[in-house]
Amino acid sequence: MQVNDSQILVLCVLADGPLHGYAINTAIEELTGNRLGPGSLYGALARLEAKGFVEYLEGEGRQRPVRLTGTGREALREELRTMAHVADVGLRNLGAAPA
Amino acid sequence: MTPARALVRLYPEAFREQWGPDLETEIDMAGWRSWPNTLLGIADMWLHPSLWPARSPAQRRLRTTTMAISVTALCWFVSHAGVEADSALSRSVGHSQPMSAGLLLTLTGLALIAPLPRPTVAGLAVLIRRVAARLALPSLLGMSVVLSVHLGVNSHTPLPMRAFLLACWWTALAVGAVRTCRITADLGARVVPPRPGRLRLGTWVLIGGAATNAATVLSVSLRPEADLTAFGVAAAILALIPAFGLVLRDCGRPSGTDG
């Protein structure tokens, strides 16, 4: 795994298009029902940027949107495939049908 | 100043410049319940300088190098202060072979991780000017104290004067250590930071130096006539050694990142 849970969430919501920090957290809240704490969110963004998975764009106001890079998109695809495989195996072992 | 702005100001400057306004909005909207998570985020960022927004991988490596030098300076200061302040400890290990070996390892480690100046006359001139400007004050202060002692400060000198000279000496050492770390941080593109392999090797040598000093001081504290100061100094150095682990972790990953 190249990324942790917070980073996966950030990558997932950015896959839909560039967003600024507050909008990223709002999208995560819509997805999971919970917002990330500011320390966790911006820690995840800093790590993703250091890995070259996201890059920030020049914004119009004080806030700067962030977008997924090609490398980030590929990393997300890889992580989601692994997670989907793990989920399939887990559900099969539980005797439940995959969602 | 709002609490959100005050919290944002605790982040490193490079981080604030990029994420500051977004972060402030987020903290403001989330309210006081987000403060503990924000404080953890602040500590996380200070412990991982390689994650701060940077223009290049070299800038990230320079920050990691600065962290290694800062931890080394802190270890040296704690060890030096302990040995100088405790006369029994000073007599036992002051100029002993193990302490000299520890110092030699530390200097070797620093030489290994030292960023190299770009081989141009202008680059060297900037480096020399920067070093001179940063270290002039602590050097002058230290030399003044040494000169005063040689000119006749002794046990008959009034106590306030001796206390003043002692305070000047420790201030010179502390300021010198802090400014040495800042020289590395300030140099930026004027120097070439060590490659990950060299940084990793140098950091292991620095760990060896700090561990040697800690073991030497600890051996004194474990003698029949227990020395609590020695134990405290050894414990402080040992507590600092794990910080080198953060440097090793940062330079051990392809992009210099973790998590």
PDB file of all heavy atoms in Angstrom, chain B residues 164-203:
ATOM      1  N   PHE B 164      27.702  36.100  35.326  1.00  0.00           N
ATOM      2  CA  PHE B 164      27.462  36.749  34.036  1.00  0.00           C
ATOM      3  C   PHE B 164      28.296  36.092  32.928  1.00  0.00           C
ATOM      4  O   PHE B 164      27.807  35.791  31.834  1.00  0.00           O
ATOM      5  CB  PHE B 164      27.791  38.246  34.156  1.00  0.00           C
ATOM      6  CG  PHE B 164      27.713  38.985  32.856  1.00  0.00           C
ATOM      7  CD1 PHE B 164      26.478  39.251  32.271  1.00  0.00           C
ATOM      8  CD2 PHE B 164      28.866  39.390  32.187  1.00  0.00           C
ATOM      9  CE1 PHE B 164      26.395  39.915  31.052  1.00  0.00           C
ATOM     10  CE2 PHE B 164      28.784  40.055  30.969  1.00  0.00           C
ATOM     11  CZ  PHE B 164      27.549  40.322  30.404  1.00  0.00           C
ATOM     12  N   LEU B 165      29.574  35.836  33.248  1.00  0.00           N
ATOM     13  CA  LEU B 165      30.448  35.217  32.244  1.00  0.00           C
ATOM     14  C   LEU B 165      29.974  33.810  31.898  1.00  0.00           C
ATOM     15  O   LEU B 165      29.993  33.394  30.731  1.00  0.00           O
ATOM     16  CB  LEU B 165      31.891  35.169  32.765  1.00  0.00           C
ATOM     17  CG  LEU B 165      32.628  36.507  32.752  1.00  0.00           C
ATOM     18  CD1 LEU B 165      33.985  36.376  33.417  1.00  0.00           C
ATOM     19  CD2 LEU B 165      32.793  37.020  31.315  1.00  0.00           C
ATOM     20  N   LEU B 166      29.512  33.099  32.932  1.00  0.00           N
ATOM     21  CA  LEU B 166      29.010  31.736  32.701  1.00  0.00           C
ATOM     22  C   LEU B 166      27.777  31.765  31.792  1.00  0.00           C
ATOM     23  O   LEU B 166      27.655  30.975  30.851  1.00  0.00           O
ATOM     24  CB  LEU B 166      28.656  31.098  34.051  1.00  0.00           C
ATOM     25  CG  LEU B 166      28.507  29.584  34.065  1.00  0.00           C
ATOM     26  CD1 LEU B 166      29.823  28.910  33.679  1.00  0.00           C
ATOM     27  CD2 LEU B 166      28.061  29.115  35.450  1.00  0.00           C
ATOM     28  N   ALA B 167      26.886  32.739  32.084  1.00  0.00           N
ATOM     29  CA  ALA B 167      25.673  32.866  31.261  1.00  0.00           C
ATOM     30  C   ALA B 167      26.050  33.206  29.824  1.00  0.00           C
ATOM     31  O   ALA B 167      25.468  32.670  28.864  1.00  0.00           O
ATOM     32  CB  ALA B 167      24.758  33.941  31.838  1.00  0.00           C
ATOM     33  N   CYS B 168      27.056  34.093  29.667  1.00  0.00           N
ATOM     34  CA  CYS B 168      27.510  34.469  28.313  1.00  0.00           C
ATOM     35  C   CYS B 168      28.053  33.243  27.583  1.00  0.00           C
ATOM     36  O   CYS B 168      27.800  33.042  26.394  1.00  0.00           O
ATOM     37  CB  CYS B 168      28.611  35.530  28.392  1.00  0.00           C
ATOM     38  SG  CYS B 168      27.994  37.153  28.801  1.00  0.00           S
ATOM     39  N   TRP B 169      28.804  32.404  28.283  1.00  0.00           N
ATOM     40  CA  TRP B 169      29.411  31.221  27.679  1.00  0.00           C
ATOM     41  C   TRP B 169      28.334  30.268  27.145  1.00  0.00           C
ATOM     42  O   TRP B 169      28.376  29.844  25.992  1.00  0.00           O
ATOM     43  CB  TRP B 169      30.303  30.528  28.705  1.00  0.00           C
ATOM     44  CG  TRP B 169      30.905  29.235  28.236  1.00  0.00           C
ATOM     45  CD1 TRP B 169      30.646  27.986  28.705  1.00  0.00           C
ATOM     46  CD2 TRP B 169      31.873  29.073  27.186  1.00  0.00           C
ATOM     47  NE1 TRP B 169      31.373  27.057  28.023  1.00  0.00           N
ATOM     48  CE2 TRP B 169      32.143  27.687  27.076  1.00  0.00           C
ATOM     49  CE3 TRP B 169      32.533  29.950  26.316  1.00  0.00           C
ATOM     50  CZ2 TRP B 169      33.029  27.171  26.144  1.00  0.00           C
ATOM     51  CZ3 TRP B 169      33.422  29.432  25.386  1.00  0.00           C
ATOM     52  CH2 TRP B 169      33.656  28.056  25.319  1.00  0.00           C
ATOM     53  N   TRP B 170      27.343  29.990  28.006  1.00  0.00           N
ATOM     54  CA  TRP B 170      26.300  29.047  27.582  1.00  0.00           C
ATOM     55  C   TRP B 170      25.391  29.649  26.513  1.00  0.00           C
ATOM     56  O   TRP B 170      24.918  28.945  25.628  1.00  0.00           O
ATOM     57  CB  TRP B 170      25.472  28.573  28.799  1.00  0.00           C
ATOM     58  CG  TRP B 170      26.276  27.601  29.605  1.00  0.00           C
ATOM     59  CD1 TRP B 170      26.856  27.806  30.818  1.00  0.00           C
ATOM     60  CD2 TRP B 170      26.664  26.282  29.212  1.00  0.00           C
ATOM     61  NE1 TRP B 170      27.576  26.703  31.224  1.00  0.00           N
ATOM     62  CE2 TRP B 170      27.466  25.756  30.250  1.00  0.00           C
ATOM     63  CE3 TRP B 170      26.434  25.496  28.094  1.00  0.00           C
ATOM     64  CZ2 TRP B 170      28.022  24.481  30.198  1.00  0.00           C
ATOM     65  CZ3 TRP B 170      26.980  24.224  28.040  1.00  0.00           C
ATOM     66  CH2 TRP B 170      27.761  23.725  29.085  1.00  0.00           C
ATOM     67  N   THR B 171      25.204  30.965  26.590  1.00  0.00           N
ATOM     68  CA  THR B 171      24.421  31.618  25.534  1.00  0.00           C
ATOM     69  C   THR B 171      25.154  31.501  24.200  1.00  0.00           C
ATOM     70  O   THR B 171      24.547  31.200  23.161  1.00  0.00           O
ATOM     71  CB  THR B 171      24.203  33.109  25.872  1.00  0.00           C
ATOM     72  OG1 THR B 171      23.584  33.181  27.148  1.00  0.00           O
ATOM     73  CG2 THR B 171      23.321  33.804  24.853  1.00  0.00           C
ATOM     74  N   ALA B 172      26.488  31.726  24.236  1.00  0.00           N
ATOM     75  CA  ALA B 172      27.280  31.632  22.996  1.00  0.00           C
ATOM     76  C   ALA B 172      27.166  30.232  22.407  1.00  0.00           C
ATOM     77  O   ALA B 172      26.969  30.073  21.195  1.00  0.00           O
ATOM     78  CB  ALA B 172      28.739  31.978  23.283  1.00  0.00           C
ATOM     79  N   LEU B 173      27.263  29.200  23.262  1.00  0.00           N
ATOM     80  CA  LEU B 173      27.178  27.820  22.758  1.00  0.00           C
ATOM     81  C   LEU B 173      25.789  27.527  22.182  1.00  0.00           C
ATOM     82  O   LEU B 173      25.663  26.936  21.103  1.00  0.00           O
ATOM     83  CB  LEU B 173      27.479  26.825  23.881  1.00  0.00           C
ATOM     84  CG  LEU B 173      28.930  26.759  24.371  1.00  0.00           C
ATOM     85  CD1 LEU B 173      29.085  25.664  25.419  1.00  0.00           C
ATOM     86  CD2 LEU B 173      29.889  26.498  23.216  1.00  0.00           C
ATOM     87  N   ALA B 174      24.738  27.945  22.925  1.00  0.00           N
ATOM     88  CA  ALA B 174      23.370  27.657  22.468  1.00  0.00           C
ATOM     89  C   ALA B 174      23.058  28.394  21.164  1.00  0.00           C
ATOM     90  O   ALA B 174      22.545  27.801  20.209  1.00  0.00           O
ATOM     91  CB  ALA B 174      22.362  28.045  23.551  1.00  0.00           C
ATOM     92  N   VAL B 175      23.407  29.693  21.132  1.00  0.00           N
ATOM     93  CA  VAL B 175      23.133  30.479  19.917  1.00  0.00           C
ATOM     94  C   VAL B 175      23.944  29.926  18.741  1.00  0.00           C
ATOM     95  O   VAL B 175      23.447  29.815  17.613  1.00  0.00           O
ATOM     96  CB  VAL B 175      23.446  31.978  20.162  1.00  0.00           C
ATOM     97  CG1 VAL B 175      23.360  32.777  18.873  1.00  0.00           C
ATOM     98  CG2 VAL B 175      22.476  32.548  21.188  1.00  0.00           C
ATOM     99  N   GLY B 176      25.203  29.543  19.019  1.00  0.00           N
ATOM    100  CA  GLY B 176      26.050  28.967  17.963  1.00  0.00           C
ATOM    101  C   GLY B 176      25.428  27.704  17.397  1.00  0.00           C
ATOM    102  O   GLY B 176      25.399  27.509  16.171  1.00  0.00           O
ATOM    103  N   ALA B 177      24.906  26.841  18.280  1.00  0.00           N
ATOM    104  CA  ALA B 177      24.297  25.584  17.812  1.00  0.00           C
ATOM    105  C   ALA B 177      23.061  25.859  16.959  1.00  0.00           C
ATOM    106  O   ALA B 177      22.899  25.283  15.884  1.00  0.00           O
ATOM    107  CB  ALA B 177      23.937  24.713  19.023  1.00  0.00           C
ATOM    108  N   VAL B 178      22.203  26.774  17.445  1.00  0.00           N
ATOM    109  CA  VAL B 178      20.973  27.083  16.698  1.00  0.00           C
ATOM    110  C   VAL B 178      21.318  27.701  15.337  1.00  0.00           C
ATOM    111  O   VAL B 178      20.756  27.331  14.304  1.00  0.00           O
ATOM    112  CB  VAL B 178      20.070  28.041  17.516  1.00  0.00           C
ATOM    113  CG1 VAL B 178      18.913  28.555  16.675  1.00  0.00           C
ATOM    114  CG2 VAL B 178      19.543  27.323  18.748  1.00  0.00           C
ATOM    115  N   ARG B 179      22.284  28.621  15.343  1.00  0.00           N
ATOM    116  CA  ARG B 179      22.613  29.308  14.085  1.00  0.00           C
ATOM    117  C   ARG B 179      23.295  28.377  13.087  1.00  0.00           C
ATOM    118  O   ARG B 179      23.158  28.550  11.884  1.00  0.00           O
ATOM    119  CB  ARG B 179      23.479  30.529  14.376  1.00  0.00           C
ATOM    120  CG  ARG B 179      22.682  31.617  15.043  1.00  0.00           C
ATOM    121  CD  ARG B 179      23.391  32.920  15.035  1.00  0.00           C
ATOM    122  NE  ARG B 179      22.473  34.008  15.343  1.00  0.00           N
ATOM    123  CZ  ARG B 179      22.753  35.272  15.164  1.00  0.00           C
ATOM    124  NH1 ARG B 179      23.913  35.629  14.690  1.00  0.00           N
ATOM    125  NH2 ARG B 179      21.869  36.204  15.473  1.00  0.00           N
ATOM    126  N   THR B 180      24.040  27.399  13.590  1.00  0.00           N
ATOM    127  CA  THR B 180      24.656  26.426  12.685  1.00  0.00           C
ATOM    128  C   THR B 180      23.563  25.678  11.926  1.00  0.00           C
ATOM    129  O   THR B 180      23.672  25.434  10.717  1.00  0.00           O
ATOM    130  CB  THR B 180      25.532  25.436  13.478  1.00  0.00           C
ATOM    131  OG1 THR B 180      26.511  26.190  14.188  1.00  0.00           O
ATOM    132  CG2 THR B 180      26.217  24.436  12.577  1.00  0.00           C
ATOM    133  N   CYS B 181      22.500  25.315  12.655  1.00  0.00           N
ATOM    134  CA  CYS B 181      21.384  24.614  11.995  1.00  0.00           C
ATOM    135  C   CYS B 181      20.707  25.537  10.985  1.00  0.00           C
ATOM    136  O   CYS B 181      20.317  25.105   9.903  1.00  0.00           O
ATOM    137  CB  CYS B 181      20.343  24.159  13.021  1.00  0.00           C
ATOM    138  SG  CYS B 181      21.034  23.094  14.282  1.00  0.00           S
ATOM    139  N   ARG B 182      20.597  26.819  11.329  1.00  0.00           N
ATOM    140  CA  ARG B 182      19.902  27.747  10.433  1.00  0.00           C
ATOM    141  C   ARG B 182      20.709  28.023   9.171  1.00  0.00           C
ATOM    142  O   ARG B 182      20.150  28.303   8.120  1.00  0.00           O
ATOM    143  CB  ARG B 182      19.583  29.054  11.170  1.00  0.00           C
ATOM    144  CG  ARG B 182      18.629  28.801  12.311  1.00  0.00           C
ATOM    145  CD  ARG B 182      17.720  29.927  12.593  1.00  0.00           C
ATOM    146  NE  ARG B 182      17.058  30.465  11.417  1.00  0.00           N
ATOM    147  CZ  ARG B 182      16.306  31.546  11.449  1.00  0.00           C
ATOM    148  NH1 ARG B 182      16.146  32.186  12.583  1.00  0.00           N
ATOM    149  NH2 ARG B 182      15.730  31.996  10.366  1.00  0.00           N
ATOM    150  N   ILE B 183      22.045  27.934   9.285  1.00  0.00           N
ATOM    151  CA  ILE B 183      22.877  28.128   8.084  1.00  0.00           C
ATOM    152  C   ILE B 183      22.462  27.094   7.043  1.00  0.00           C
ATOM    153  O   ILE B 183      22.224  27.408   5.880  1.00  0.00           O
ATOM    154  CB  ILE B 183      24.383  27.951   8.421  1.00  0.00           C
ATOM    155  CG1 ILE B 183      24.877  29.122   9.262  1.00  0.00           C
ATOM    156  CG2 ILE B 183      25.217  27.836   7.145  1.00  0.00           C
ATOM    157  CD1 ILE B 183      26.264  28.905   9.838  1.00  0.00           C
ATOM    158  N   THR B 184      22.347  25.837   7.485  1.00  0.00           N
ATOM    159  CA  THR B 184      21.974  24.764   6.551  1.00  0.00           C
ATOM    160  C   THR B 184      20.607  25.049   5.948  1.00  0.00           C
ATOM    161  O   THR B 184      20.400  24.887   4.744  1.00  0.00           O
ATOM    162  CB  THR B 184      21.911  23.421   7.303  1.00  0.00           C
ATOM    163  OG1 THR B 184      22.970  23.378   8.236  1.00  0.00           O
ATOM    164  CG2 THR B 184      22.000  22.255   6.354  1.00  0.00           C
ATOM    165  N   ALA B 185      19.670  25.468   6.793  1.00  0.00           N
ATOM    166  CA  ALA B 185      18.304  25.705   6.314  1.00  0.00           C
ATOM    167  C   ALA B 185      18.254  26.858   5.314  1.00  0.00           C
ATOM    168  O   ALA B 185      17.473  26.839   4.374  1.00  0.00           O
ATOM    169  CB  ALA B 185      17.386  25.992   7.493  1.00  0.00           C
ATOM    170  N   ASP B 186      19.127  27.866   5.543  1.00  0.00           N
ATOM    171  CA  ASP B 186      19.068  29.083   4.718  1.00  0.00           C
ATOM    172  C   ASP B 186      19.739  28.931   3.356  1.00  0.00           C
ATOM    173  O   ASP B 186      19.483  29.727   2.457  1.00  0.00           O
ATOM    174  CB  ASP B 186      19.775  30.238   5.442  1.00  0.00           C
ATOM    175  CG  ASP B 186      18.944  30.729   6.611  1.00  0.00           C
ATOM    176  OD1 ASP B 186      17.785  30.319   6.709  1.00  0.00           O
ATOM    177  OD2 ASP B 186      19.475  31.508   7.425  1.00  0.00           O
ATOM    178  N   LEU B 187      20.639  27.954   3.233  1.00  0.00           N
ATOM    179  CA  LEU B 187      21.471  27.933   2.033  1.00  0.00           C
ATOM    180  C   LEU B 187      20.702  27.602   0.766  1.00  0.00           C
ATOM    181  O   LEU B 187      21.043  28.083  -0.315  1.00  0.00           O
ATOM    182  CB  LEU B 187      22.636  26.957   2.233  1.00  0.00           C
ATOM    183  CG  LEU B 187      23.702  27.509   3.180  1.00  0.00           C
ATOM    184  CD1 LEU B 187      24.719  26.451   3.505  1.00  0.00           C
ATOM    185  CD2 LEU B 187      24.372  28.736   2.576  1.00  0.00           C
ATOM    186  N   GLY B 188      19.664  26.800   0.872  1.00  0.00           N
ATOM    187  CA  GLY B 188      18.798  26.514  -0.278  1.00  0.00           C
ATOM    188  C   GLY B 188      19.563  25.990  -1.479  1.00  0.00           C
ATOM    189  O   GLY B 188      20.380  25.073  -1.364  1.00  0.00           O
ATOM    190  N   ALA B 189      19.308  26.601  -2.634  1.00  0.00           N
ATOM    191  CA  ALA B 189      19.884  26.098  -3.883  1.00  0.00           C
ATOM    192  C   ALA B 189      21.374  26.408  -4.008  1.00  0.00           C
ATOM    193  O   ALA B 189      22.015  26.004  -4.981  1.00  0.00           O
ATOM    194  CB  ALA B 189      19.138  26.707  -5.062  1.00  0.00           C
ATOM    195  N   ARG B 190      21.948  27.116  -3.031  1.00  0.00           N
ATOM    196  CA  ARG B 190      23.371  27.456  -3.130  1.00  0.00           C
ATOM    197  C   ARG B 190      24.256  26.257  -2.807  1.00  0.00           C
ATOM    198  O   ARG B 190      25.464  26.307  -2.995  1.00  0.00           O
ATOM    199  CB  ARG B 190      23.709  28.609  -2.181  1.00  0.00           C
ATOM    200  CG  ARG B 190      23.007  29.899  -2.551  1.00  0.00           C
ATOM    201  CD  ARG B 190      23.410  31.014  -1.611  1.00  0.00           C
ATOM    202  NE  ARG B 190      22.551  32.167  -1.822  1.00  0.00           N
ATOM    203  CZ  ARG B 190      21.436  32.369  -1.144  1.00  0.00           C
ATOM    204  NH1 ARG B 190      21.061  31.512  -0.218  1.00  0.00           N
ATOM    205  NH2 ARG B 190      20.703  33.430  -1.376  1.00  0.00           N
ATOM    206  N   VAL B 191      23.666  25.205  -2.223  1.00  0.00           N
ATOM    207  CA  VAL B 191      24.458  24.016  -1.881  1.00  0.00           C
ATOM    208  C   VAL B 191      23.789  22.770  -2.466  1.00  0.00           C
ATOM    209  O   VAL B 191      22.613  22.789  -2.825  1.00  0.00           O
ATOM    210  CB  VAL B 191      24.590  23.842  -0.359  1.00  0.00           C
ATOM    211  CG1 VAL B 191      25.469  24.896   0.250  1.00  0.00           C
ATOM    212  CG2 VAL B 191      23.224  23.816   0.303  1.00  0.00           C
ATOM    213  N   VAL B 192      24.585  21.703  -2.527  1.00  0.00           N
ATOM    214  CA  VAL B 192      24.058  20.425  -2.996  1.00  0.00           C
ATOM    215  C   VAL B 192      23.857  19.539  -1.762  1.00  0.00           C
ATOM    216  O   VAL B 192      24.829  19.207  -1.084  1.00  0.00           O
ATOM    217  CB  VAL B 192      25.052  19.737  -3.966  1.00  0.00           C
ATOM    218  CG1 VAL B 192      24.464  18.439  -4.492  1.00  0.00           C
ATOM    219  CG2 VAL B 192      25.426  20.674  -5.090  1.00  0.00           C
ATOM    220  N   PRO B 193      22.603  19.198  -1.437  1.00  0.00           N
ATOM    221  CA  PRO B 193      22.391  18.358  -0.247  1.00  0.00           C
ATOM    222  C   PRO B 193      22.915  16.950  -0.477  1.00  0.00           C
ATOM    223  O   PRO B 193      23.075  16.529  -1.637  1.00  0.00           O
ATOM    224  CB  PRO B 193      20.865  18.351  -0.089  1.00  0.00           C
ATOM    225  CG  PRO B 193      20.319  18.698  -1.417  1.00  0.00           C
ATOM    226  CD  PRO B 193      21.345  19.525  -2.117  1.00  0.00           C
ATOM    227  N   PRO B 194      23.204  16.197   0.585  1.00  0.00           N
ATOM    228  CA  PRO B 194      23.725  14.838   0.409  1.00  0.00           C
ATOM    229  C   PRO B 194      22.700  13.936  -0.264  1.00  0.00           C
ATOM    230  O   PRO B 194      21.501  14.109  -0.055  1.00  0.00           O
ATOM    231  CB  PRO B 194      24.001  14.375   1.846  1.00  0.00           C
ATOM    232  CG  PRO B 194      23.125  15.216   2.690  1.00  0.00           C
ATOM    233  CD  PRO B 194      22.998  16.521   2.005  1.00  0.00           C
ATOM    234  N   ARG B 195      23.189  12.984  -1.047  1.00  0.00           N
ATOM    235  CA  ARG B 195      22.289  11.995  -1.650  1.00  0.00           C
ATOM    236  C   ARG B 195      21.775  11.080  -0.550  1.00  0.00           C
ATOM    237  O   ARG B 195      22.396  10.979   0.511  1.00  0.00           O
ATOM    238  CB  ARG B 195      23.029  11.197  -2.718  1.00  0.00           C
ATOM    239  CG  ARG B 195      23.396  12.037  -3.921  1.00  0.00           C
ATOM    240  CD  ARG B 195      23.773  11.188  -5.118  1.00  0.00           C
ATOM    241  NE  ARG B 195      23.878  12.020  -6.315  1.00  0.00           N
ATOM    242  CZ  ARG B 195      22.837  12.417  -7.043  1.00  0.00           C
ATOM    243  NH1 ARG B 195      21.614  12.062  -6.703  1.00  0.00           N
ATOM    244  NH2 ARG B 195      23.009  13.175  -8.102  1.00  0.00           N
ATOM    245  N   PRO B 196      20.628  10.404  -0.787  1.00  0.00           N
ATOM    246  CA  PRO B 196      20.039   9.594   0.287  1.00  0.00           C
ATOM    247  C   PRO B 196      21.010   8.590   0.922  1.00  0.00           C
ATOM    248  O   PRO B 196      21.019   8.424   2.137  1.00  0.00           O
ATOM    249  CB  PRO B 196      18.885   8.875  -0.415  1.00  0.00           C
ATOM    250  CG  PRO B 196      18.496   9.800  -1.520  1.00  0.00           C
ATOM    251  CD  PRO B 196      19.764  10.444  -1.977  1.00  0.00           C
ATOM    252  N   GLY B 197      21.865   7.953   0.101  1.00  0.00           N
ATOM    253  CA  GLY B 197      22.809   6.961   0.640  1.00  0.00           C
ATOM    254  C   GLY B 197      23.783   7.595   1.619  1.00  0.00           C
ATOM    255  O   GLY B 197      24.043   7.067   2.704  1.00  0.00           O
ATOM    256  N   ARG B 198      24.340   8.748   1.220  1.00  0.00           N
ATOM    257  CA  ARG B 198      25.318   9.440   2.076  1.00  0.00           C
ATOM    258  C   ARG B 198      24.625   9.945   3.339  1.00  0.00           C
ATOM    259  O   ARG B 198      25.167   9.855   4.444  1.00  0.00           O
ATOM    260  CB  ARG B 198      25.939  10.606   1.293  1.00  0.00           C
ATOM    261  CG  ARG B 198      27.019  11.350   2.053  1.00  0.00           C
ATOM    262  CD  ARG B 198      27.988  12.041   1.091  1.00  0.00           C
ATOM    263  NE  ARG B 198      27.410  13.158   0.362  1.00  0.00           N
ATOM    264  CZ  ARG B 198      27.422  14.426   0.780  1.00  0.00           C
ATOM    265  NH1 ARG B 198      27.950  14.715   1.953  1.00  0.00           N
ATOM    266  NH2 ARG B 198      26.895  15.379   0.057  1.00  0.00           N
ATOM    267  N   LEU B 199      23.402  10.456   3.179  1.00  0.00           N
ATOM    268  CA  LEU B 199      22.661  10.973   4.339  1.00  0.00           C
ATOM    269  C   LEU B 199      22.356   9.843   5.324  1.00  0.00           C
ATOM    270  O   LEU B 199      22.482   9.997   6.545  1.00  0.00           O
ATOM    271  CB  LEU B 199      21.373  11.642   3.851  1.00  0.00           C
ATOM    272  CG  LEU B 199      20.476  12.270   4.904  1.00  0.00           C
ATOM    273  CD1 LEU B 199      21.230  13.289   5.750  1.00  0.00           C
ATOM    274  CD2 LEU B 199      19.278  12.966   4.245  1.00  0.00           C
ATOM    275  N   ARG B 200      21.989   8.678   4.765  1.00  0.00           N
ATOM    276  CA  ARG B 200      21.662   7.541   5.617  1.00  0.00           C
ATOM    277  C   ARG B 200      22.916   7.075   6.383  1.00  0.00           C
ATOM    278  O   ARG B 200      22.877   6.878   7.587  1.00  0.00           O
ATOM    279  CB  ARG B 200      21.114   6.393   4.756  1.00  0.00           C
ATOM    280  CG  ARG B 200      20.319   5.361   5.532  1.00  0.00           C
ATOM    281  CD  ARG B 200      19.716   4.317   4.614  1.00  0.00           C
ATOM    282  NE  ARG B 200      18.929   4.927   3.555  1.00  0.00           N
ATOM    283  CZ  ARG B 200      19.119   4.747   2.242  1.00  0.00           C
ATOM    284  NH1 ARG B 200      20.074   3.957   1.820  1.00  0.00           N
ATOM    285  NH2 ARG B 200      18.358   5.337   1.356  1.00  0.00           N
ATOM    286  N   LEU B 201      24.038   6.951   5.652  1.00  0.00           N
ATOM    287  CA  LEU B 201      25.285   6.506   6.288  1.00  0.00           C
ATOM    288  C   LEU B 201      25.706   7.503   7.377  1.00  0.00           C
ATOM    289  O   LEU B 201      26.036   7.114   8.503  1.00  0.00           O
ATOM    290  CB  LEU B 201      26.387   6.366   5.224  1.00  0.00           C
ATOM    291  CG  LEU B 201      27.788   6.045   5.743  1.00  0.00           C
ATOM    292  CD1 LEU B 201      27.812   4.662   6.415  1.00  0.00           C
ATOM    293  CD2 LEU B 201      28.817   6.077   4.610  1.00  0.00           C
ATOM    294  N   GLY B 202      25.677   8.792   7.022  1.00  0.00           N
ATOM    295  CA  GLY B 202      26.063   9.820   7.994  1.00  0.00           C
ATOM    296  C   GLY B 202      25.176   9.800   9.222  1.00  0.00           C
ATOM    297  O   GLY B 202      25.649   9.971  10.352  1.00  0.00           O
ATOM    298  N   THR B 203      23.886   9.554   9.017  1.00  0.00           N
ATOM    299  CA  THR B 203      22.956   9.542  10.151  1.00  0.00           C
ATOM    300  C   THR B 203      23.253   8.357  11.075  1.00  0.00           C
ATOM    301  O   THR B 203      23.219   8.491  12.303  1.00  0.00           O
ATOM    302  CB  THR B 203      21.496   9.488   9.646  1.00  0.00           C
ATOM    303  OG1 THR B 203      21.296  10.571   8.742  1.00  0.00           O
ATOM    304  CG2 THR B 203      20.508   9.599  10.783  1.00  0.00           C
TER     305      THR B 203
END
